[in-house]
Amino acid sequence: MPIRVACNHNTSYKFDRPISLFPHVVRLRPALHSRTPIHAYSLKVFPEKHFLNWQQDAFGNYMARLVFPEKTSELRIEVEVIADMTAYNPFDFFVEDYAETFPFSYNKLEHTELAPYFQKIITGPLLEKWLKKVDRSKKNTNDFLVDVNNLVQKSINYSVRMEVGVQSCETTLQRALGSCRDSAWLLVQIFRHLGVAARFVSGYLIQLSSDEKSLDGPSGPEADFTDLHAWTEVYIPGAGWIGLDPTSGLLAGEGHIPLACTPHPLSASPVTGATEACEVEFEHSNTVTRIHEDPRVTKPYSDEQWLSIDALGQQVEEDLVAGDVRLTMGGEPTFVSIDDMDGAEWNIAALGDKKRELAEDLLLRLQHRFAPGAALHYGQGKWYPGEVLPRWALGCFWREDGVPVWHDPKWLAQEDGDHQYDTDDAQRFMDVLCRYLSLDSEVVQTAYEDVYYYLWKEGTLPENVDALDSKLDNPQERSRLRQLFEHGI
């Protein structure tokens, strides 16, 4: 389970006397497209005597419309968001074929639907000069987005700006300095001038401190942190809206929780409204609290937790002993070839060219080391659905008292070579075995190769492929097909 946090955002206005409040609009509810899982949300407004109506604007953002029927000396808005900080890959999206490389053109319907997100301001000399720095040659769309975002991050230094509103693009470029909302609006306009639909995003940014300091590069915040933040989203066909944070130069991650996404920053303001003329004291706070986190490699159990776990284990052990419950556990060790650690057969494929050969070599070495006189068994293993043949299983059997189970190794034939035995030899062997076991030879059942299957398998191969040299998916099938051809079938 990921780290679950509570984000608390409090805004307070204290007036010098009871005044009338005009209707307010609050945009502090997580958007529907937030990729960070939201488990709970609450909005509390004081004074308690008010009317609240939830609405959605033209762009699908949640808006709480507040009406206050009586005068008040205080307005307080309290928001709490419970979220799981589930890490995700910000590049985990699909892009339509026609948009995989930049520049690309939106289709007619997309261009009509996205019309508000193409609106451009009149460029000034600084914005025109900046746009000339952008490499517009054909390149992968993902790379293009990353490059432009990084270029803005390197061009604009971050500052906390308490003035209301958003700077013009010319002002931000002239100062080479701006708040997150200034950089976000600049990036929106840059993308629009480059022909990419873009919108302004207001939201929460949650950053958690690392368990361990980074060995290479910045380690992030020293303490858990959250605040209102702004970034940019661009619309890419197939992928949808992709978040880009020009303050950090990174794509939006699990710490970015969007609240309002609009064509212009004015319609994304967290709180809008008006009051009578008065004196006011304004306060606000943003805090984040970890309310649940499971132990992990970088932050394991504490000594106290280990003692509790050990005590519980001892109690379970006593209960099992008292109930005469006996447990056994088996396992299947996994081996990887030292010569080909990255090969498919040692990582993702069930079978391969070398696995069977190396397995037999390991079996013989284990027998020589641990069980001289053991009986070796080459047989069928598990048979999985969708596979035409069972897999192989190699066994080694011996007695604990050291008495040999098998005396002469020459009678245990290995598979690397033709031992010149045929079906008649197999029949005679079974007859003798039945006689030694006092069994009627009629219990012996003859098995046949599925000749028609292998003929069909050969027929499915391309005309320019030799069946004896082809690399069929299953090495066992390839071996069997070779044997059938060699016997003239």
Side-chain angles (χ1 to χ4, degrees):
M1 181 177 178
I3 299 174
R4 181 167 294 180
V5 300
C7 175
N8 294 94
H9 177 203
N10 298 324
T11 306
S12 173
Y13 304 84
K14 293 182 180 180
F15 311 110
D16 60 347
R17 68 184 188 280
I19 63 168
S20 295
L21 294 177
F22 298 105
H24 278 58
V25 173
V26 176
R27 303 177 183 87
L28 292 174
R29 181 172 173 176
L32 285 172
H33 73 286
S34 172
R35 294 183 68 179
T36 301
I38 306 300
H39 285 270
Y41 169 81
S42 69
L43 171 66
K44 295 181 181 180
V45 179
F46 301 91
E48 293 183 352
K49 288 187 177 181
H50 65 269
F51 299 99
L52 187 155
N53 290 300
W54 282 106
Q55 303 173 348
Q56 284 184 289
D57 64 12
F59 310 104
N61 301 299
Y62 287 117
M63 302 189 306
R65 187 175 187 275
L66 300 168
V67 176
F68 304 94
E70 299 179 359
K71 291 188 175 185
T72 181
S73 59
E74 181 182 15
L75 171 61
R76 192 165 78 251
I77 301 170
E78 298 179 358
V79 175
E80 181 176 71
V81 176
I82 307 297
D84 277 350
M85 300 299 288
T86 305
Y88 61 83
N89 179 7
F91 291 96
D92 184 17
F93 51 77
F94 171 85
V95 178
E96 294 289 358
D97 292 342
Y98 64 87
E100 285 186 350
T101 57
F102 176 86
F104 62 88
S105 298
Y106 295 87
N107 63 46
K108 185 176 181 180
L109 179 60
E110 286 175 332
H111 205 280
T112 300
E113 295 173 336
L114 295 169
Y117 306 107
F118 289 112
Q119 293 180 357
K120 300 183 285 290
I121 61 172
I122 298 175
T123 58
L126 294 179
L127 182 55
E128 287 184 358
K129 181 179 179 181
W130 197 97
L131 288 170
K132 291 179 180 179
K133 297 190 298 183
V134 178
D135 180 8
R136 307 191 190 196
S137 61
K138 187 175 181 180
K139 65 168 58 177
N140 179 274
T141 298
N142 292 353
D143 295 338
F144 165 74
L145 298 178
V146 170
D147 290 345
V148 174
N149 191 38
N150 282 334
L151 195 56
V152 172
Q153 190 271 334
K154 294 176 181 177
S155 302
I156 308 301
N157 294 313
Y158 173 73
S159 70
V160 177
R161 192 170 60 80
M162 301 306 296
E163 296 85 0
V164 298
V166 178
Q167 292 180 165
S168 69
C169 294
E170 289 294 295
T171 300
T172 301
L173 289 171
Q174 179 186 10
R175 295 179 178 177
L177 187 70
S179 66
C180 57
R181 60 187 185 275
D182 300 323
S183 295
W185 180 236
L186 173 62
L187 184 60
V188 167
Q189 285 301 316
I190 288 171
F191 274 122
R192 291 180 184 178
H193 279 86
L194 294 172
V196 179
R199 66 185 182 183
F200 182 89
V201 183
S202 172
Y204 290 121
L205 175 63
I206 299 176
Q207 294 179 292
L208 302 181
S209 61
S210 301
D211 296 333
E212 302 287 343
K213 290 187 178 295
S214 175
L215 297 177
D216 183 18
S219 298
E222 294 294 329
D224 296 346
F225 166 83
T226 185
D227 204 351
L228 282 173
H229 192 53
W231 60 94
T232 303
E233 287 184 350
V234 294
Y235 186 85
I236 303 299
W241 292 104
I242 300 172
L244 299 162
D245 188 344
T247 301
S248 64
L250 303 174
L251 270 69
E254 66 275 6
H256 294 74
I257 301 178
L259 300 174
C261 309
T262 58
H264 195 278
L266 283 178
S267 52
S269 299
V271 180
T272 56
T275 69
E276 283 187 58
C278 64
E279 296 294 328
V280 60
E281 292 181 3
F282 171 73
E283 295 180 355
H284 81 282
S285 66
N286 288 81
T287 59
V288 61
T289 305
R290 305 189 190 202
I291 58 178
H292 178 86
E293 52 180 322
D294 290 328
R296 47 196 179 274
V297 173
T298 53
K299 192 174 182 180
Y301 292 113
S302 65
D303 292 340
E304 292 76 12
Q305 290 173 316
W306 275 120
L307 289 174
S308 299
I309 294 172
D310 184 64
L312 178 60
Q314 294 295 339
Q315 181 61 53
V316 171
E317 179 69 17
E318 292 175 4
D319 293 342
L320 293 175
V321 172
D324 195 27
V325 178
R326 306 178 187 183
L327 303 179
T328 60
M329 181 178 67
E332 297 181 353
T334 300
F335 299 94
V336 177
S337 170
I338 193 172
D339 300 317
D340 184 25
M341 293 183 178
D342 296 326
E345 62 185 314
W346 306 105
N347 291 276
I348 58 174
L351 301 171
D353 293 331
K354 299 292 292 183
K355 183 177 287 187
R356 176 65 179 79
E357 176 185 336
L358 293 178
E360 182 175 15
D361 178 69
L362 176 61
L363 175 73
L364 296 176
R365 287 191 286 137
L366 289 174
Q367 180 205 24
H368 177 75
R369 173 66 175 83
F370 295 104
L376 301 180
H377 179 258
Y378 299 78
Q380 292 182 347
K382 298 176 181 178
W383 196 343
Y384 289 92
E387 297 186 3
V388 297
L389 291 173
R391 299 182 185 178
W392 41 262
L394 311 183
C396 181
F397 303 93
W398 68 92
R399 289 175 50 147
E400 288 186 354
D401 58 11
V403 176
V405 177
W406 196 270
H407 293 277
D408 194 344
K410 74 177 183 180
W411 297 112
L412 288 175
Q414 299 181 16
E415 294 185 334
D416 55 345
D418 186 357
H419 299 278
Q420 305 300 318
Y421 294 110
D422 56 20
T423 55
D424 292 335
D425 296 310
Q427 181 66 53
R428 287 194 297 274
F429 172 77
M430 294 304 299
D431 289 339
V432 174
L433 180 62
C434 287
R435 186 163 64 251
Y436 273 94
L437 297 177
S438 300
L439 295 175
D440 192 323
S441 60
E442 292 183 359
V443 301
V444 177
Q445 296 184 5
T446 304
Y448 297 92
E449 294 287 355
D450 190 347
V451 177
Y452 293 104
Y453 167 79
Y454 287 102
L455 290 174
W456 168 82
K457 193 71 175 180
E458 179 195 6
T460 61
L461 298 175
E463 292 183 0
N464 61 339
V465 175
D466 185 346
L468 295 181
D469 296 331
S470 65
K471 293 187 177 180
L472 300 177
D473 294 338
N474 190 322
Q476 290 177 284
E477 294 183 37
R478 182 170 67 249
S479 174
R480 183 54 59 200
L481 185 60
R482 180 180 297 275
Q483 294 178 24
L484 291 175
F485 274 90
E486 289 174 350
H487 285 80
I489 298 178

